[in-house]
Amino acid sequence: MKTMKTKVGIVGAGPAGLLLSHLLHLAGISSIVLESRSRAYVEQRVRAGVLEQGTVDLLTQSGLGDRLHREGLRHHGIELRFGGQGHRIDMTALTGGRAIVVYGQQEVVKDLIAARVAADGALHFGVSDLAVHDIDSSSPFIRCQHDGDDLTVRCDIIAGCDGFHGVCRDAIPPGILKVFERTYPFAWLGILAKARPTHEELIYAYHERGFALYSMRSPEITRLYLQVPPDEDISNWPDDRIWTELRTRLETDDGWKLEEGPVLEKGITGMRSFVAEPMQFGRLVLAGDAAHIVPPTGAKGMNLAIADVRVLAHALTRYFGDGRNDLLAAYSQTCLKRIWRAEHFSWWMTSMLHIFPGDDTFGGRLQRSQLDYVVRSTAACTSLAENYVGLPFADP
Ligand code: RFL
Ligand code: PHB
């Protein structure tokens, strides 16, 4: 039986938990991170790839920008592809100079872990049976198993950064949380391929056979997604079938070709919109996917997790520094404004670009009209661009 004390007990070593621990350290506030997976697992988990301008700025300002600026791919536009033609949206021109950086989530996670390890930060991987206790008292604690021993972490605040399937959200007593949710009648099959990207920017393709997304991770690695049925079995998708379908949905009338290569990784992800309000109860605060989920079409999930943590770190700095509770009390309310904007944008991109099974021809005509409008109207594509690169952070 081992007991440790810290100011903030953090559950989960995803982007939210790790960045929170790093920002608190920069403000001189102690924390302990408890993660159920191994370090190797969280560093290899392939997920998001697009960092908003504000995310890049925050990581840079907090000393995490070196490799990101060296290896990340800065993109000034995206392409919407439909009817066999591509239409570029010049995001930088439409947003007064903002852009995105394509840099894998697992690279952000590696950089964060390296920074915490270099600062002798307390990161415990491979914990199990974790539960949070006494969250409505002034001395909450976390209990788990670690290295074959019972571990108790006593703290002032518990940060639930344990993702959508974590345990912290469910620790809030019944009747407190209001949940807003939508599931979509499709999923994404994603692959990582050892193939040279043949297009410099991301391509979001609307096609009668379903949505496809062309992305990348480096000059040698392409990341691709296909809309598939929600309960699809990955064994129905041998590599040949995936490439044939990607070619059909992505290739254009003017002869653009996809470069193929060995598939390094593949998986299927369901699509869901979800918000739990409020994101705090007593001494427990939730951040990132633990409190909200967006479908990946707007590339917002990791960026939102990071935006929550920015607000939370600031609120906790005030709480521990000046003993003032105002920002912490307003945490959920402050974050939910940005969250609902991202929820709307992600739902809108998803609705415009996917084929809805059973939809009538009216729905399809509306989607085409919307796509035509977005690529022709400066007002419409400016709206897409400013949401995609990320709206500026409100003042803390
Ligand atoms: P995470 O990354 O899920 O981390 C939570 C951590 O908590 C651990 N955990 C526990 N630890 C201890 N005890 C327990 N009981 C625990 N239960 C869970 C987990 O092991 C994990 O390490 O949540 P976080 O930090 O909030 O970060 C959120 C992001 O990971 C997520 O929003 C994005 O990946 C979403 N997403 C995208 N976001 C973007 O901003 N841009 C994108 O381009 C983008 N593309 C994507 C995506 C997500 C995808 N998938 C696979 C869901 C593309 C895909 C395909
Ligand atoms: C990715 O590169 O994994 C990616 C890019 C854009 C999205 C979703 C995922 O909208």
Side-chain angles (χ1 to χ4, degrees):
M1 174 88 178
K2 210 161 135 189
T3 302
M4 295 168 120
K5 251 186 101 48
T6 191
K7 292 241 183 297
V8 185
I10 300 176
V11 186
L18 290 167
L19 181 63
L20 180 62
S21 178
H22 177 71
L23 295 178
L24 291 176
H25 165 72
L26 295 182
I29 299 166
S30 66
S31 67
I32 295 178
V33 180
L34 301 166
E35 163 63 47
S36 53
R37 303 286 189 164
S38 68
R39 174 173 176 179
Y41 184 92
V42 300
E43 288 189 340
Q44 298 307 321
R45 189 164 45 191
V46 179
R47 281 194 172 173
V50 173
L51 306 185
E52 292 177 355
Q53 177 76 57
T55 301
V56 173
D57 294 345
L58 178 64
L59 294 174
T60 307
Q61 286 152 15
S62 56
L64 296 160
D66 285 3
R67 204 161 65 90
L68 162 61
H69 289 286
R70 231 178 20 250
E71 295 177 19
L73 309 167
R74 191 169 162 86
H75 287 188
H76 299 281
I78 56 168
E79 186 172 309
L80 294 183
R81 197 169 270 191
F82 53 95
Q85 282 187 342
H87 306 266
R88 181 168 190 265
I89 300 203
D90 187 338
M91 296 184 305
T92 299
L94 293 164
T95 59
R98 291 166 80 79
I100 54 158
V101 172
V102 176
Y103 188 64
Q105 176 169 326
Q106 75 271 33
E107 307 306 326
V108 175
V109 164
K110 278 181 209 159
D111 295 345
L112 280 163
I113 292 177
R116 293 309 295 124
V117 168
D120 277 335
L123 297 178
H124 297 296
F125 291 97
V127 308
S128 58
D129 301 328
L130 184 144
V132 300
H133 299 274
D134 293 359
I135 55 172
D136 52 354
S137 79
S138 57
S139 45
F141 64 97
I142 308 171
R143 196 161 271 165
C144 61
Q145 293 286 312
H146 184 239
D147 281 344
D149 207 357
D150 282 333
L151 172 64
T152 301
V153 174
R154 299 199 169 274
C155 46
D156 296 296
I157 299 285
I158 298 177
C161 303
D162 50 348
F164 185 65
H165 299 288
V167 296
C168 290
R169 191 177 62 247
D170 290 343
I172 296 179
I176 304 284
L177 290 183
K178 210 164 169 177
V179 165
F180 303 85
E181 192 167 16
R182 188 158 290 186
T183 52
Y184 298 88
F186 36 76
W188 278 16
L189 185 159
I191 65 165
L192 201 61
K194 189 160 173 28
R196 185 176 56 92
T198 47
H199 194 269
E200 284 191 3
E201 295 174 339
L202 272 65
I203 304 166
Y204 288 80
Y206 172 81
H207 190 276
E208 62 191 13
R209 295 181 59 84
F211 169 74
L213 171 60
Y214 181 92
S215 180
M216 66 283 296
R217 285 292 179 270
S218 72
E220 293 84 38
I221 304 284
T222 315
R223 175 85 168 138
L224 298 138
Y225 297 95
L226 284 171
Q227 174 185 349
V228 295
D231 44 5
E232 188 62 303
D233 186 342
I234 193 87
S235 64
N236 291 332
W237 288 89
D239 296 356
D240 277 359
R241 181 176 176 204
I242 296 174
W243 287 114
T244 306
E245 198 60 38
L246 284 166
R247 278 199 305 271
T248 308
R249 296 189 196 180
L250 282 167
E251 288 183 356
T252 50
D253 295 344
D254 64 9
W256 178 78
K257 292 266 174 288
L258 195 61
E259 178 99 1
E260 298 181 19
V263 174
L264 307 172
E265 214 256 8
K266 64 179 163 182
I268 292 184
T269 313
M271 306 273 279
R272 177 195 296 271
S273 299
F274 175 96
V275 182
E277 296 182 1
M279 296 162 61
Q280 61 200 112
F281 174 76
R283 294 295 183 95
L284 173 67
V285 286
L286 304 175
D289 280 17
H292 44 77
I293 295 283
V294 286
T297 329
K300 288 281 162 261
M302 174 171 51
N303 292 295
L304 268 189
I306 284 173
D308 287 354
V309 162
R310 177 181 165 279
V311 174
L312 183 55
H314 195 77
L316 290 172
T317 303
R318 171 109 112 198
Y319 179 75
F320 288 112
D322 317 335
R324 280 181 59 182
N325 191 38
D326 52 338
L327 293 186
L328 190 54
Y331 164 70
S332 178
Q333 216 186 340
T334 306
C335 289
L336 282 165
K337 288 197 196 96
R338 186 178 192 88
I339 292 164
W340 276 109
R341 179 86 297 281
E343 289 287 343
H344 179 271
F345 178 67
S346 306
W347 162 84
W348 176 75
M349 287 282 279
T350 303
S351 309
M352 178 170 70
L353 287 162
H354 291 75
I355 299 298
F356 283 71
D359 206 357
D360 53 14
T361 48
F362 187 79
R365 287 286 196 279
L366 290 180
Q367 287 174 314
R368 273 301 296 266
S369 167
Q370 180 68 21
L371 284 162
D372 280 330
Y373 177 56
V374 164
V375 299
R376 288 216 170 85
S377 152
T378 306
C381 63
T382 302
S383 169
L384 188 153
E386 71 175 1
N387 280 279
Y388 195 87
V389 299
L391 292 160
F393 292 129
D395 285 339

